[in-house]
Amino acid sequence: MIVESLRVFIAVTEQRHFSRAAELLNLSQPGVSQHIRNLENELGARLLHRSPKYVRLTEAGDLLYQKAKKILSLYEEAKQDIHLLQNEVTGFLQIGASFTIGEYVLPRCIAEFAAKYPLVVMQATIGNTEEIVQAVRANELDIGLIEGQTSASDLVITPFMRDEMIIIAPSAHPLAALRIADAKQLHDQIWVLRESGSGTRDFSDQFFAENKIIQKRSYIFNSSQSVKEAVLAGLGIALLSRWVVRKELETGELMELPIQNARFERQFSIIRHKEASLSLAVTMLLQKLLTGSD
């Protein structure tokens, strides 16, 4: 098989010796030589300069070496994909997500995953970051997707997406007419906030502290959706993920308040318990989240 000959060729090239390659591959030296001859006959070109002490690549051999590495990588990837086709992915997945991810990112991800693996049963739980962290630590969830920070030593934390935070105001708000605002103009405003324990609230509190912003008054809601609705109703201004308000920004119902020389970003992360074993279904979901593919 050509793949086996390429594997032998790569070993000879990297070991720079026929006998060392033979020992590495558990083949006889004549067997290694035959694989190389087969390749040279197939390609009609000499691939190696041979000497008693070592071998080195010809120009044709160097070209084949670079391509052969890619060919073997693709071959192994194809083997894995075929294995997955023959061994259907099944099981029950319990996924937790903090509100922004759970309401605006996770549904599409689950729909795409379900189309690929229809035998996997999935249950999604939405809560604030602290609630999702505690559920994963208690092994009540296979994985959690959070927008806030956690330092729990018993969790594996893997970033998977960047998120842009923006300040929004109702279209009739006095600040909405500004093309760009200064942080000082955000003082003495009415703010609509998420509850303590949420990633969005943590981000807002950090923003207020760094810019020494004093709130005139604040109203607290326990979901990003309710914060958005409160801003739409004219209750105040808010700091939310762009995911939450993208449609309302397009229709003009809400206005973004860009802050001069500032861009606000945070990290979405996957969390899972260090001691938890990974089922095939969990492994495939992690692959989708981290690479965007199945």
Side-chain angles (χ1 to χ4, degrees):
M1 186 179 181
I2 190 68
V3 169
E4 188 59 31
S5 293
L6 290 176
R7 206 184 305 277
V8 171
F9 171 70
I10 290 171
V12 171
T13 299
E14 293 177 347
Q15 297 297 316
R16 302 185 68 191
H17 207 280
F18 277 73
S19 60
R20 285 199 292 268
E23 183 178 350
L24 179 68
L25 298 172
N26 197 27
L27 296 173
S28 66
Q29 187 168 333
V32 170
S33 298
Q34 186 62 52
H35 276 291
I36 300 302
R37 280 195 298 271
N38 290 343
L39 279 175
E40 290 180 328
N41 291 336
E42 175 75 21
L43 297 169
R46 190 172 184 179
L47 301 174
L48 298 166
H49 294 296
R50 298 159 173 84
S51 74
K53 293 185 177 180
Y54 62 89
V55 297
R56 59 186 177 87
L57 294 172
T58 64
E59 185 176 359
D62 183 61
L63 177 62
L64 179 63
Y65 175 71
Q66 302 301 327
K67 301 294 185 183
K69 297 282 282 187
K70 295 179 181 178
I71 291 169
L72 286 187
S73 176
L74 289 171
Y75 177 71
E76 292 300 324
E77 184 179 321
K79 281 173 59 178
Q80 181 178 352
D81 289 346
I82 291 170
H83 176 75
L84 289 174
L85 285 176
Q86 295 171 337
N87 297 274
E88 292 180 314
V89 181
T90 63
F92 179 56
L93 279 181
Q94 297 187 91
I95 311 161
S98 51
F99 279 98
T100 299
I101 302 173
E103 292 176 339
Y104 299 97
V105 179
L106 185 60
R108 178 174 295 182
C109 178
I110 287 180
E112 292 172 353
F113 188 82
K116 181 78 172 181
Y117 304 110
L119 297 182
V120 177
V121 178
M122 289 176 279
Q123 177 177 309
T125 298
I126 299 177
N128 66 35
T129 292
E130 183 59 30
E131 290 168 343
I132 298 303
V133 168
Q134 294 308 319
V136 173
R137 296 185 73 189
N139 290 308
E140 296 170 358
L141 298 170
D142 295 305
I143 63 171
L145 310 176
I146 62 170
E147 59 214 56
Q149 302 284 328
T150 180
S151 58
S153 60
D154 53 350
L155 298 180
V156 177
I157 305 166
T158 309
F160 78 100
M161 181 185 289
R162 300 294 297 176
D163 179 44
E164 183 184 7
M165 300 289 286
I166 61 173
I167 298 171
I168 57 164
S171 56
H173 195 280
L175 292 180
L178 298 175
R179 293 188 60 186
I180 190 163
D182 187 282
K184 294 179 181 178
Q185 293 173 293
L186 301 177
H187 288 293
D188 204 29
Q189 296 290 334
I190 299 172
W191 287 83
V192 185
L193 305 173
R194 283 288 307 280
E195 80 287 3
S196 296
S198 77
T200 298
R201 176 61 179 272
D202 289 345
F203 193 95
S204 299
D205 287 347
Q206 182 179 351
F207 171 72
F208 295 148
E210 289 176 353
N211 292 277
K212 298 181 174 57
I213 291 174
I214 298 173
Q215 304 161 38
K216 180 178 182 179
R217 188 162 62 254
S218 64
Y219 296 93
I220 298 172
F221 292 83
N222 69 349
S223 76
S224 295
Q225 178 68 27
S226 57
V227 170
K228 177 177 71 174
E229 292 297 327
V231 175
L232 281 167
L235 191 58
I237 62 176
L239 183 60
L240 284 176
S241 165
R242 186 178 292 277
W243 281 96
V244 178
V245 296
R246 63 191 188 282
K247 291 182 180 179
E248 289 76 14
L249 291 175
E250 290 174 1
T251 61
E253 295 173 87
L254 290 175
M255 303 298 292
E256 178 181 355
L257 302 179
I259 304 302
Q260 190 171 19
N261 301 321
R263 179 180 173 87
F264 312 120
E265 286 191 340
R266 61 180 177 176
Q267 188 76 62
F268 287 166
S269 298
I270 304 168
I271 58 172
R272 59 182 177 84
H273 202 288
K274 282 183 177 179
E275 303 300 324
S277 58
L278 296 181
S279 67
L280 183 57
V282 171
T283 299
M284 299 312 296
L285 179 59
L286 289 173
Q287 179 178 316
K288 175 169 184 57
L289 290 169
L290 293 172
T291 67
S293 62
D294 298 309

